[in-house]
């Protein structure tokens, strides 16, 4: 899917800033921070335009937020192939990279009576393949 198709699919107006943000998050296999997305964006947008476009995409669940801790918040493209229960994320404790794990199945938790389920967030911490490779180098 291309950025303009994503916007059409969500019945959103096409703007170059929105399309640019989608292109950036879609082409990255790692989740990106707001600053990283802004840095990679082709074309110049003022703060307000960028912020508004960003919020629109987040509200429409085109991109989703991954909160690792207070200092580390990343965003990734929300693939519609992902289960409605949500999906797990992987945080590399060495390089601080974050990515979506579409292969980890989440099960709906059984909650105490009269509790309502909204969403689950699972964060797996460890070492990513790139960092592991670094270790095995002589
Ligand atoms: Zn790493
Ligand atoms: Zn994700």
């Amino acid at each position: 899917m291309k950025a303009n198709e994503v916007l059409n699919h969500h019945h959103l107006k096409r703007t170059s800033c929105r399309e640019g943000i989608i292109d950036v998050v879609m082409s990255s296999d790692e989740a990106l921070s707001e600053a990283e997305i802004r840095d990679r964006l082709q074309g110049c947008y003022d703060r307000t335009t960028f912020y508004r476009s960003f919020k629109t995409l987040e509200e429409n669940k085109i991109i989703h937020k991954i909160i690792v801790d207070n200092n580390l918040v990343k965003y990734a493209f929300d693939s519609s192939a992902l289960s409605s229960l949500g999906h797990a994320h992987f945080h590399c404790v060495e390089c601080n990279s974050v990515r979506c794990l579409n292969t980890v199945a989440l099960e709906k938790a059984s909650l105490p009576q009269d509790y309502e389920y909204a969403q689950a967030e699972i964060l797996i911490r460890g070492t990513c393949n790139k960092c592991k490779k670094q270790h095995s180098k002589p």
Side-chain angles (χ1 to χ4, degrees):
M1 228 192 230
K2 287 205 185 112
N4 57 352
E5 293 167 348
V6 174
L7 290 171
N8 281 342
H9 181 78
H10 288 266
H11 307 289
L12 292 171
K13 217 176 86 196
R14 287 171 58 182
T15 70
S16 64
C17 189
R18 287 174 182 176
E19 288 186 6
I21 295 172
I22 295 173
D23 277 336
V24 170
V25 286
M26 258 173 125
S27 59
S28 171
D29 45 323
E30 279 174 19
L32 302 169
S33 69
E34 199 175 312
E36 285 167 335
I37 295 171
R38 241 196 122 166
D39 281 350
R40 293 184 192 198
L41 207 55
Q42 312 268 329
C44 271
Y45 302 99
D46 59 68
R47 248 188 104 83
T48 320
T49 310
F50 176 78
Y51 188 75
R52 279 202 197 124
S53 306
F54 200 81
K55 284 288 146 214
T56 306
L57 298 179
E58 202 189 335
E59 277 161 17
N60 285 276
K61 297 192 167 70
I62 294 171
I63 54 174
H64 64 286
K65 203 186 209 163
I66 306 148
I67 302 170
V68 178
D69 60 39
N70 286 339
N71 301 313
L72 191 61
V73 178
K74 300 259 186 172
Y75 297 85
F77 181 72
D78 222 331
S79 153
S80 49
L82 303 170
S83 114
S84 58
L85 283 176
H87 55 277
H89 290 108
F90 189 91
H91 171 221
C92 174
V93 292
E94 296 190 35
C95 66
N96 264 335
S97 67
V98 177
R99 57 173 300 170
C100 300
L101 294 177
N102 306 344
T103 47
V104 178
L106 298 191
E107 278 176 40
K108 194 165 172 178
S110 55
L111 298 174
Q113 201 180 355
D114 297 329
Y115 279 57
E116 197 187 296
Y117 180 94
Q119 67 175 109
E121 268 168 54
I122 293 194
L123 188 70
I124 300 170
R125 293 181 200 270
T127 312
C128 75
N129 55 354
K130 283 182 203 145
C131 292
K132 251 193 104 182
K133 240 184 232 164
Q134 294 274 314
H135 292 312
S136 56
K137 272 189 194 151

